[in-house]
Amino acid sequence: MSEIDLSPLFTPHTIRSLTLPGRFVVPGMQRAMCEDGSPLPSLAQYYRRRVEGGFGLIISESTAIDHESATRQPAAAWIRRDTAESWRHCVKEVKSAGGHLLLQLWHEGAMRAAEGDDAWSTYPTISPSGLTQKGKVNGRAATTEDLCSLREAYVRSALLAQEIGFSGVEIHAAHGYLLDQFLWAETNLRADGYGGPDIQDRARFPAEVVAAVRAAVRHDFIISFRLSQWKTTDFEASIVRSPDELELLLALIRNAGADIFNISTRRFDRPEWSGDLSLAGWAKKFTDATVMAVGGVGIKGDITDMLLGRESSPRLMASLMAVRRRFLAGEFDLLAIGRSSIADADFATKIRQSRFDEIRPFSLALLKEHMDSWGSTSERKDAVIADDTTP
């Protein structure tokens, strides 16, 4: 392969008091390495290995907040007192390798399983309006008391993450989960000031969550906010329909205390609205916060191929050329590498050293091979392969 100068992506970037040595990040993805909500030692080693491979920042699995309604997935990670020691081991491994770890705080909302016999089955599924999408009911609408309880759970979870030693948290408000259900007009029909046609009302509860976390944690504790247009239930969905709506949404969340906007797209280089700007590029135009781009770097297809079980051939050099062009144009500050970091832990180092021919491409067969080596059960393999958080 011909060489391409990607040295600009290996310049430092500072967020509050944390300085990253480069711009490559491992985003939140499900790796099926948890038992009873606790990460296994293999997950700590997995994170460490990516830091050794050149990634300065790792974002954890989607981790259920300390609230009984958060999820019923048996293989899900949780942040609770009884899982703290296992998470502390993950932080220790990442930091000893020279990296930083953010804990992704997650609640499924109406996406939570509706039926089953498990430890959480007696707790209700709650969301803004009891909808997974228009006309599809699951659970019930959250009461005012529920909203207070949820805010407190996000704060409690963030404070525990801070106590454990995480460098910050990422508040998951993408892909059709709870906070995204507030942002999406199709799933938020509330008439109490927390929903309806105005993005400012729909963003009120997510902004309150960010503000409550910001008020509780240390000044140097980072808050990332994961945002997407698309949902697992609707790839063509939009929470904001114009640049003006995006600008308003970002301002609300930034003013609440977010430091990073993780702009999750199916393809990082796909233009949004008119012109050539990606969604991350539009975000960077409107905010002084750090903007992270993600979506299919090194992969020919997009997340749809993954979710539908279609193989995606590598398109490494074409995507790297787009990365360089858009980074130099100022469209993003950080670049998250999902499936390509699963395939090759040394992806970032090989990019830095221009060892493009040595990069191992992603495939579903490779993912299944990795899960065999992780000791994942069939149930966990199915969860990972179907999971929307694999960019």
Side-chain angles (χ1 to χ4, degrees), residues 11-287:
T11 54
H13 181 73
T14 299
I15 311 162
R16 291 191 179 263
S17 62
L18 182 132
T19 298
L20 301 174
R23 308 307 178 97
F24 286 98
V25 178
V26 175
M29 296 178 288
Q30 301 291 47
R31 296 141 180 112
M33 287 188 272
C34 291
E35 290 280 358
D36 298 323
S38 293
L40 298 171
S42 56
L43 184 58
Q45 290 303 312
Y46 180 96
Y47 292 154
R48 180 190 179 102
R49 182 68 187 83
R50 269 73 197 160
V51 176
E52 292 171 343
F55 293 92
L57 181 63
I58 311 292
I59 302 174
S60 79
E61 321 297 280
S62 297
T63 303
I65 61 171
D66 187 16
H67 195 278
E68 295 87 348
S69 66
T71 186
R72 291 174 62 189
Q73 291 187 28
W78 284 80
I79 179 66
R80 303 182 304 240
R81 283 286 166 190
D82 65 314
T83 68
E85 275 308 307
S86 296
W87 282 119
R88 191 169 282 114
H89 180 57
C90 291
V91 171
K92 179 181 177 182
E93 288 297 315
V94 168
K95 288 189 172 180
S96 65
H100 297 274
L101 185 61
L102 302 186
L103 183 70
Q104 188 180 85
L105 301 181
W106 170 68
H107 186 295
E108 287 187 294
M111 296 284 285
R112 181 177 182 256
E115 299 178 354
D117 182 16
D118 56 66
W120 311 109
S121 59
T122 60
Y123 297 96
T125 294
I126 55 177
S127 64
S129 302
L131 299 170
T132 59
Q133 62 187 115
K134 186 176 181 179
K136 295 192 176 180
V137 177
N138 187 35
R140 63 166 173 81
T143 65
T144 301
E145 291 75 19
D146 290 330
L147 297 187
C148 181
S149 174
L150 287 166
R151 276 193 303 270
E152 291 173 352
Y154 275 100
V155 170
R156 185 167 59 249
S157 301
L159 285 172
L160 182 54
Q162 178 179 268
E163 177 186 323
I164 289 168
F166 284 91
S167 298
V169 292
E170 177 165 273
I171 295 173
H172 198 331
H175 306 155
Y177 294 122
L178 176 70
L179 295 183
D180 193 21
Q181 290 160 23
F182 275 91
L183 294 174
W184 192 19
E186 189 167 303
T187 50
N188 187 350
L189 308 180
R190 301 177 72 95
D192 59 354
Y194 284 101
D198 192 332
I199 184 62
Q200 187 162 345
D201 293 331
R202 299 199 307 274
R204 179 180 171 188
F205 184 68
E208 287 183 355
V209 168
V210 173
V213 170
R214 180 80 276 159
V217 297
R218 294 189 314 265
H219 174 75
D220 63 348
F221 195 71
I222 292 168
I223 299 176
S224 175
F225 191 83
R226 189 169 209 188
L227 186 67
S228 75
Q229 296 271 49
W230 68 275
K231 326 295 169 200
T232 56
T233 55
D234 186 349
F235 292 140
E236 304 305 320
S238 294
I239 59 170
V240 287
R241 298 189 178 277
S242 69
D244 288 344
E245 284 193 336
L246 177 63
E247 184 176 17
L248 177 57
L249 172 60
L250 296 177
L252 291 168
I253 303 301
R254 175 63 166 154
N255 290 339
D259 303 298
I260 302 171
F261 287 106
N262 180 352
I263 307 297
S264 179
T265 56
R266 290 158 58 197
R267 282 276 296 276
F268 81 97
D269 57 344
R270 180 172 292 163
E272 189 80 17
W273 301 305
S274 60
D276 183 53
L277 273 183
S278 64
L279 189 61
W282 280 105
K284 190 61 186 171
K285 182 176 180 179
F286 293 140
T287 183

